[in-house]
DNA sequence: AAATACGACAACCGCTCAACT
DNA sequence: TAGTTGAGCGGTTGTCGTATT
């Protein structure tokens, strides 16, 4: 924690001196009209000093998080509540993970962004993600703040756009294409079922990720249970387990009690019992809330070790968790997303004010009737996936301005023109596949291995071309720039593999503080037991939350299977 | 050595939503 | 039911350090 504090304020060392200039000479102050707590008091802006940090930490120790507008009153800080909250959340909060993103984290961010779009907070709050094989899950992004992720992504965007590379690795493009094709073949989605979920969530026929997400409060846990009465959750799990990337199942009917903040566009998380029509065991909000108190992740773990993989069979691959394909059905109003900032250099004129393009379905349409305009028009899909939006944007961008890519594409043979149709959207994938790795035959690479390949032990970042080892079996020496990532990845994998303590999932000391939410505990345990099957009930335990306000709010913050090693597979479950 | 470009990071702003009155 | 307030989120901007020219 001390370390975190130290790390959190990298500028503090010079800041006190610097800020004397910065703040004293030309203080960035808010005259108080901007914040509710201002009240005529001059509110300071700009970088925080270590003294202010200390005050804020002291305040939070005493009063806990929340009620940020009272900070000024109680602590004497001349900062608005928002600023305090931000400072705490991004820098002072215990168990924040600072420093460069690891290759695994990079991959996860890319993948999560492909799925979520610019949902930084949710990415940061991500707890577990089921791997694509449905047999294991991965613990992701602990201690990363939304701001960090956002900054990383924006930086990455700039970098890649400068380099003329797509935002997403070609693997994701191919995957989207493959799944789209599959979706066409299986017809596994009821596109007319808008009442249930966004019909254009083309991949909603897939069994969604099961993640520990948003279980919030007992009432909602109950609602979760009740709302799933018409869904044999255990069978859902089985289906999930049995699911292949092409496993086609209808998404169960889910109803939500209330619209969770910022989540409505994708899926409920804070209410959180369901994701993708599947019960959530990931608690985005809980995780975040808990982490806000330093309770979140195995609090005493080396931050690096908190990047856990539950997959022991695939080496370090699990972290990539290959579930990227899983799109989340949108429930309720969906905020159109995708990030103009992702395409600052892209001519978006053709998008106009129309919604972002639909995704898979639209790609279908695109493939069938290539003109891009075709899917600009009728695209009611506000699907909140960044990937295919990016495909579309980038296809335009690349087809229009990146001539070099299309030039290269003329040599491509691995993806038949028929497959790609005239779809410029996907052509760039092909092109980049060539750029990246002598091209991958989409048929030669199963979706299941899709991400495994991406995230193979080669350790190459998704940001970079997948090593040919993951594709062809031959090893391609990573570029020098990747060397560090590779080493990092190897280290990471070792750490993960070493992290086999059965109690690893049990958040250590902070669980000991657990007090409230017993009923939630029981309810949720039951619910999960239901999900897993009755026999598993005894082996599953929800760890109640701490007494912290936020944790109380959410009921509990974590859950774990008893007697189950932290590194395990879903197949180990009863 | 100076100027410039770039990346990383911190912080602020505006907006939205949920809870409360 | 409408208005207010607190909190959170995503987008944007500003600053600093470093690499490059």
């Amino acid at each position: 924690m001390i370390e975190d504090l130290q790390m959190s304020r990298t500028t503090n060392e010079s800041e006190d001196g610097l800020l004397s200039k910065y703040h004293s000479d030309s203080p960035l102050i808010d005259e108080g009209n901007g914040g509710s707590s201002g009240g005529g008091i001059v509110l300071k802006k700009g970088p925080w000093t270590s003294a202010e940090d200390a005050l804020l930490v002291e305040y939070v120790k005493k009063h806990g998080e929340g009620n940020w507008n009272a900070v000024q009153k109680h602590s004497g800080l001349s900062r608005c509540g928002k600023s305090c909250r931000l400072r705490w959340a991004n820098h002072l909060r215990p168990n924040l993970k600072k420093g460069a993103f690891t290759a695994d984290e990079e991959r996860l961010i890319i993948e999560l962004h492909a799925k979520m779009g610019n949902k930084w907070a949710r990415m940061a709050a991500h707890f577990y993600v089921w791997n694509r094989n449905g047999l294991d899950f991965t613990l992701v992004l602990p201690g990363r703040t939304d701001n960090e992720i956002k900054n990383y992504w924006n930086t990455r965007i700039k970098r890649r756009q400068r380099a003329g590379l797509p935002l997403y690795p070609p693997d994701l493009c191919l995957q989207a294409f493959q799944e789209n094709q599959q979706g066409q073949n299986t017809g596994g989605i009821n596109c007319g079922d808008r009442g249930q979920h966004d019909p254009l969530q083309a991949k909603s026929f897939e069994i969604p990720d099961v993640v520990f997400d948003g279980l919030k409060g007992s009432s909602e846990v109950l609602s979760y249970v009740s709302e799933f009465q018409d869904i044999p959750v255990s069978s859902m799990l089985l289906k999930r387990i049995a699911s292949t990337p092409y496993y086609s199942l209808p998404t169960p009917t889910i109803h939500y009690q209330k619209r969770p903040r910022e989540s409505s566009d994708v899926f409920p998380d804070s209410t959180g019992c369901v994701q993708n029509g599947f019960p959530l065991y990931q608690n985005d909000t809980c995780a975040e809330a808990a982490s806000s108190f330093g309770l979140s992740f195995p609090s005493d773990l080396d931050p690096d070790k908190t990047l856990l993989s539950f997959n022991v069979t695939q080496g370090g691959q699990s972290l990539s968790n290959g579930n990227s394909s899983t799109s989340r059905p949108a429930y309720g109003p969906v905020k159109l997303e995708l990030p103009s900032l992702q395409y600052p250099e892209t001519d978006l004129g053709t998008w106009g004010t129309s919604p972002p393009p639909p995704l898979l379905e639209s790609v279908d349409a695109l493939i069938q009737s290539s003109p891009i305009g075709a899917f600009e028009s009728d695209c009611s899909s506000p699907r909140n996936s960044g990937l295919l939006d990016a495909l579309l944007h980038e296809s335009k961008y690349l087809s229009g301005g990146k001539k070099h890519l299309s030039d290269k594409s003329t040599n491509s043979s691995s993806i038949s023109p028929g497959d790609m149709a005239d779809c410029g959207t996907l052509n760039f994938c092909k092109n980049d596949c060539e750029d990246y790795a002598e091209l991958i035959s989409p048929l030669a690479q199963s979706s299941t291995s899709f991400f495994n390949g991406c995230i193979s032990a080669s350790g190459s970042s998704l940001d970079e071309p997948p090593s040919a080892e993951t594709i062809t079996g031959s090893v391609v020496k990573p570029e020098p720039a990747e060397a560090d990532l590779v080493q990092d990845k190897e280290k990471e994998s070792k750490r993960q593999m070493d992290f086999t303590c059965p109690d690893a999932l049990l958040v250590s000391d902070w669980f000991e503080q657990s007090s409230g939410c017993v009923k939630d505990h029981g309810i949720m345990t039951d619910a999960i037991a239901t999900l897993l099957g009755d026999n598993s009930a005894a082996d599953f335990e929800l760890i109640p939350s701490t007494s912290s306000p936020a944790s109380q709010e959410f009921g509990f913050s974590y859950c774990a299977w008893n007697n189950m090693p932290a590194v395990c597979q879903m197949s180990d479950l009863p």
Side-chain angles (χ1 to χ4, degrees):
Chain A
M1 178 168 169
I2 292 173
E3 185 179 283
D4 287 331
L5 289 176
Q6 290 171 341
M7 292 176 65
S8 71
R9 182 66 268 174
T10 55
T11 59
N12 268 348
E13 294 72 31
S14 59
E15 186 173 70
D16 290 332
L18 176 129
L19 288 180
S20 62
K21 169 174 77 80
Y22 198 95
H23 289 299
S24 299
D25 294 349
S26 60
L28 292 170
I29 54 174
D30 186 326
E31 296 298 335
N33 53 359
S36 58
S37 62
I41 298 175
V42 173
L43 295 179
K44 194 174 168 185
K45 287 185 178 181
W48 282 64
T49 67
S50 50
E52 288 176 310
D53 284 345
L55 282 174
L56 182 56
V57 169
E58 189 63 26
Y59 171 85
V60 174
K61 277 182 183 174
K62 273 186 180 177
H63 302 93
E65 284 185 85
N67 201 14
W68 294 110
N69 284 333
V71 174
Q72 182 193 351
K73 185 168 59 182
H74 291 119
S75 69
L77 268 176
S78 298
R79 296 276 184 172
C80 72
K82 288 177 78 171
S83 183
C84 293
R85 178 192 148 270
L86 206 63
R87 182 66 185 171
W88 173 259
N90 287 341
H91 300 283
L92 303 178
R93 194 176 67 187
N95 294 326
L96 286 177
K97 184 179 180 181
K98 293 288 185 176
F101 283 86
T102 67
D104 288 327
E105 287 173 314
E106 290 179 33
R107 292 189 193 96
L108 282 163
I109 290 170
I110 294 166
E111 183 182 341
L112 288 173
H113 191 274
K115 295 166 67 176
M116 299 176 176
N118 297 352
K119 297 297 175 187
W120 314 118
R122 286 187 37 221
M123 290 187 203
H126 242 68
F127 237 28
Y128 296 3
V129 174
W130 282 101
N131 290 337
R132 184 164 187 77
N133 59 16
L135 300 178
D136 46 65
F137 49 91
T138 301
L139 192 55
V140 298
L141 298 181
R144 294 296 189 180
T145 68
D146 53 356
N147 214 32
E148 273 185 294
I149 296 171
K150 180 172 60 181
N151 284 335
Y152 166 79
W153 185 258
N154 289 339
T155 300
R156 178 179 180 275
I157 286 172
K158 288 181 193 171
R159 196 166 53 228
R160 292 187 69 87
Q161 285 191 330
R162 235 194 315 274
L165 296 172
L167 295 183
Y168 299 98
D171 311 65
L172 278 173
C173 304
L174 273 177
Q175 182 182 22
F177 174 75
Q178 289 173 331
E179 293 184 356
N180 169 63
Q181 291 281 323
Q182 183 66 25
Q184 271 191 306
N185 294 338
T186 60
I189 180 169
N190 178 4
C191 292
D193 191 8
R194 296 192 179 216
Q196 306 298 333
H197 54 268
D198 190 297
L200 292 176
Q201 294 282 349
K203 291 182 286 183
S204 62
F205 60 85
E206 268 190 65
I207 299 299
D209 296 343
V210 178
V211 288
F212 288 71
D213 207 339
L215 287 162
K216 181 180 180 182
S218 59
S219 63
E220 290 177 19
V221 172
L222 282 170
S223 70
Y224 147 71
V225 174
S226 63
E227 285 167 2
F228 268 90
Q229 281 177 346
D230 56 340
I231 303 167
V233 285
S234 58
S235 69
M236 285 175 13
L237 177 61
L238 291 175
K239 287 173 183 176
R240 167 57 178 168
I241 292 173
S243 69
T244 69
Y246 298 148
Y247 200 85
S248 179
L249 286 167
T251 304
T253 299
I254 309 295
H255 309 285
Y256 300 109
Q257 273 194 325
K258 74 180 178 185
R259 182 187 182 277
R261 172 182 184 74
E262 286 296 334
S263 307
S264 62
D265 47 333
V266 182
F267 67 103
D269 57 353
S270 59
T271 17
C273 299
V274 181
Q275 182 184 27
N276 279 359
F278 201 83
L280 293 181
Y281 289 168
Q282 172 178 12
N283 188 341
D284 286 357
T285 329
C286 290
E288 190 169 47
S291 68
S292 297
F293 282 77
L295 310 172
S296 60
F297 264 70
S299 55
D300 294 325
L301 295 177
D302 177 338
D304 290 338
K305 289 181 181 178
T306 59
L307 192 64
L308 299 179
S309 171
F310 293 86
N311 180 354
V312 294
T313 58
Q314 299 179 9
Q317 299 179 9
S318 65
L319 270 171
S320 64
N321 78 64
N323 61 354
S324 66
S325 69
T326 312
S327 59
R328 302 166 189 276
Y331 298 87
V334 176
K335 183 166 70 180
L336 295 180
E337 192 158 327
L338 227 222
S340 57
L341 82 147
Q342 290 186 21
Y343 312 95
E345 301 165 9
T346 304
D347 178 11
L348 297 178
T350 53
W351 297 106
T353 57
S354 63
L359 299 174
L360 291 177
E361 287 79 2
S362 298
V363 172
D364 286 349
L366 177 68
I367 291 171
Q368 291 168 2
S369 65
S370 111
I372 287 178
F375 61 156
E376 286 177 20
S377 58
D378 203 3
C379 87
S380 52
S381 170
R383 183 158 126 183
N384 187 26
S385 165
L387 170 57
L388 286 173
D389 286 333
L391 295 182
L392 299 173
H393 280 285
E394 289 186 4
S395 74
K396 289 186 178 183
Y397 173 64
L398 293 174
S399 63
K402 301 294 175 180
K403 187 80 164 57
H404 70 282
L405 285 177
S406 51
D407 290 344
K408 287 183 189 177
S409 71
T410 59
N411 297 329
S412 173
S413 61
S414 297
I415 299 173
S416 74
D419 288 342
M420 288 303 187
D422 296 327
C423 176
T425 296
L426 293 169
N427 276 342
F428 89 90
C429 300
K430 179 179 63 176
N431 298 333
D432 283 311
C433 285
E434 290 176 340
D435 290 345
Y436 277 113
E438 301 296 328
L439 203 40
I440 310 161
S441 167
L443 298 177
Q445 188 181 24
S446 73
S447 303
T448 306
S449 62
F450 196 91
F451 260 88
N452 291 341
C454 262
I455 311 191
S456 72
S458 70
S460 62
S461 164
L462 276 181
D463 211 5
E464 303 298 336
S467 106
E469 179 185 13
T470 67
I471 299 160
T472 66
S474 61
V475 176
V476 173
K477 183 180 178 182
E479 293 182 11
E482 295 181 57
D484 290 344
L485 285 180
V486 172
Q487 290 177 356
D488 187 28
K489 166 69 182 177
E490 289 170 354
K491 290 177 187 174
E492 191 72 35
S493 297
K494 286 178 182 175
R495 283 198 295 269
Q496 294 162 24
M497 297 303 293
D498 291 340
F499 196 66
T500 54
C501 170
D503 292 328
L505 272 177
L506 304 176
V507 178
S508 55
D509 54 342
W510 63 273
F511 279 138
E512 297 172 11
Q513 308 170 25
S514 302
S515 58
C517 313
V518 174
K519 65 179 187 296
D520 296 342
H521 175 204
I523 291 166
M524 195 54 212
T525 303
D526 291 345
I528 294 174
T530 302
L531 173 72
L532 297 176
D534 292 340
N535 293 339
S536 65
D539 291 327
F540 187 85
E541 181 181 13
L542 281 171
I543 308 300
S545 74
T546 72
S547 57
S548 69
S551 297
Q552 286 178 344
E553 176 187 359
F554 295 116
F556 62 86
S557 299
Y558 204 78
C559 58
W561 280 272
N562 289 335
N563 308 317
M564 184 173 290
V567 178
C568 63
Q569 292 196 6
M570 199 59 203
S571 55
D572 295 329
L573 292 172

